[in-house]
Amino acid sequence: MFGKNKKKLDPRVRFQNRGFQKQLDSQRNYKRTKKTLPQTDWGVFLSKIGLGSWPARLGSLALFLFIIYIVFIPNLFFIKNVTINGLDESKTADVKTVAESFLKKSLPWPQKNILLLSKNKLTKYLLENNQSVLKVDKITKDFPNTLVINITPRLDTFTIIAQSGVYAAANDGLIKKQLAPEYTASTTLPNGLILIKLTTSETLFAGKHAFPAETANFLLTINNQVPNIVKSPLEHFELADQPNTDLTVFTQSGLKLLFDLKSDPQVVAERLQLLLSQFSDADLKSLDYVDMRFDSRGYICKKGAACVKNTILPVNNATDTTDSIIN
């Protein structure tokens, strides 16, 4: 029955079986079907790249047409919405117009296709074609068809008084426009802008940098932090002609501060705070200037002292406060 083992066939008998002999002979005489090679150069080429058969050719053609459709034919991935963040309404419209003009470029790669859009090229295009854009912080592709651009705006920040006239400059030092051909006591200066006096004789004009962006950042840091340290609003800044890197800050209380533009503004502001924290309000009023142009040192000069008479403000004639500001 089912539990009993069947008697195994003797191998010698199996080899004598006629069916087995036919199968063995068939395997011995098997010959691989010879592949027909293409007779033309074009056929040889297609065969080498895997397109020797019609199904392969039709599949590749369908894939090619699909890629053409995705890349060049308006579809789901073509940008329909551009969102600009960081600017006011009027400037947003201008920047959006510039961005859309870039997206109209179709060759060699259609930039309006969100899959092919080059963020770096769009950033460069915006910076070159719109002065309202100081920095492109981030470009986000919001699939399937929305582009979000975050902008740091270029704002009127400085009033520049130079020998060639009075100018309004942006927060990176770029001159936006000329306010007056020359400066006189009756010249009306805009409110809310940081006043900078330049000693340079170089002619300035709109579209030119009055000073580098690094200098602008230095001025902004000092303007934001120093008033609280010296307990007085700032009156104006004075920049020497390059390559001189001296900066003089005039406060409304009469105290003058000297800085070196090559230093770190955040570090020098912290050193100034450490130095002046040792003085009372009455002591601060007795100071003529504070010189912070030296690493890890600060020098003060009191009103009426010999150091006041020296325009170069030499260290030897100033009061050394080294011990109070060395970490």
Side-chain angles (χ1 to χ4, degrees), residues 8-302:
K8 292 183 179 181
L9 185 65
D10 190 337
R12 292 173 296 179
V13 175
R14 184 184 64 172
F15 289 126
Q16 296 175 1
N17 185 281
R18 181 176 300 178
F20 179 81
Q21 290 293 333
K22 287 183 178 181
Q23 293 179 6
L24 186 61
D25 291 338
S26 175
Q27 294 296 327
R28 286 173 178 171
N29 298 323
Y30 173 78
K31 291 184 179 181
R32 182 181 298 176
T33 303
K34 187 177 181 181
K35 185 177 180 180
T36 303
L37 297 177
Q39 302 299 315
T40 62
D41 294 340
W42 179 247
V44 172
F45 172 76
L46 291 177
S47 179
K48 287 183 177 180
I49 62 174
L51 299 177
S53 64
W54 278 107
R57 295 174 188 176
L58 293 176
S60 299
L61 178 61
L63 178 61
F64 176 75
L65 294 176
F66 177 74
I67 294 174
I68 293 296
Y69 168 75
I70 288 294
V71 172
F72 294 101
I73 308 301
N75 57 72
L76 179 67
F77 296 106
F78 269 51
I79 297 172
K80 296 180 176 61
N81 304 301
V82 178
T83 302
I84 308 294
N85 297 325
L87 300 174
D88 59 37
E89 187 175 349
S90 61
K91 293 180 179 178
T92 295
D94 293 339
V95 173
K96 187 174 182 179
T97 299
V98 173
E100 289 175 346
S101 68
F102 174 82
L103 297 178
K104 290 179 181 178
K105 295 183 176 183
S106 58
L107 296 176
W109 298 108
Q111 292 300 306
K112 198 164 187 178
N113 190 312
I114 200 170
L115 300 173
L116 303 177
L117 173 69
S118 171
K119 295 182 181 180
N120 292 333
K121 290 182 179 180
L122 176 55
T123 297
K124 183 179 179 181
Y125 189 85
L126 291 174
L127 293 174
E128 291 178 348
N129 292 276
N130 194 295
Q131 289 193 355
S132 298
V133 179
L134 174 62
K135 181 182 177 183
V136 178
D137 299 309
K138 187 178 182 181
I139 297 177
T140 303
K141 296 179 179 181
D142 188 4
F143 286 92
N145 50 34
T146 298
L147 195 64
V148 181
I149 306 174
N150 294 329
I151 299 290
T152 295
R154 180 178 276 115
L155 304 173
D156 288 351
T157 305
F158 304 103
T159 297
I160 308 293
I161 297 178
Q163 294 184 20
S164 58
V166 183
Y167 308 87
N171 43 348
D172 63 339
L174 181 72
I175 297 176
K176 301 289 289 297
K177 57 187 175 182
Q178 185 173 24
L179 301 175
E182 60 181 8
Y183 175 71
T184 64
S186 61
T187 302
T188 301
L189 300 177
N191 294 325
L193 301 186
I194 303 171
L195 182 59
I196 310 293
K197 293 184 178 180
L198 298 182
T199 60
T200 178
S201 58
E202 186 178 1
T203 301
L204 303 178
F205 51 84
K208 179 179 181 179
H209 277 83
F211 38 77
E214 293 78 10
T215 299
N217 291 332
F218 193 105
L219 296 173
L220 289 172
T221 301
I222 296 300
N223 185 74
N224 292 335
Q225 299 196 25
V226 167
N228 291 331
I229 297 175
V230 300
K231 300 178 182 178
S232 170
L234 305 185
E235 186 177 88
H236 72 275
F237 294 80
E238 188 172 293
L239 286 174
D241 202 359
Q242 294 184 353
N244 195 319
T245 59
D246 290 346
L247 167 67
T248 305
V249 181
F250 294 82
T251 69
Q252 292 184 10
S253 65
L255 177 64
K256 295 186 291 293
L257 306 168
L258 285 83
F259 299 101
D260 184 357
L261 293 172
K262 294 184 295 184
S263 59
D264 186 323
Q266 184 63 42
V267 172
V268 77
E270 293 173 356
R271 288 174 45 227
L272 177 65
Q273 183 174 27
L274 180 61
L275 172 62
L276 297 187
S277 64
Q278 304 174 63
F279 295 86
S280 65
D281 292 350
D283 291 334
L284 286 178
K285 294 179 180 179
S286 68
L287 301 181
D288 186 80
Y289 71 81
V290 180
D291 194 341
M292 302 297 295
R293 293 175 296 177
F294 306 92
D295 291 340
S296 302
R297 293 174 180 271
Y299 298 92
I300 64 171
C301 179
K302 293 187 176 181

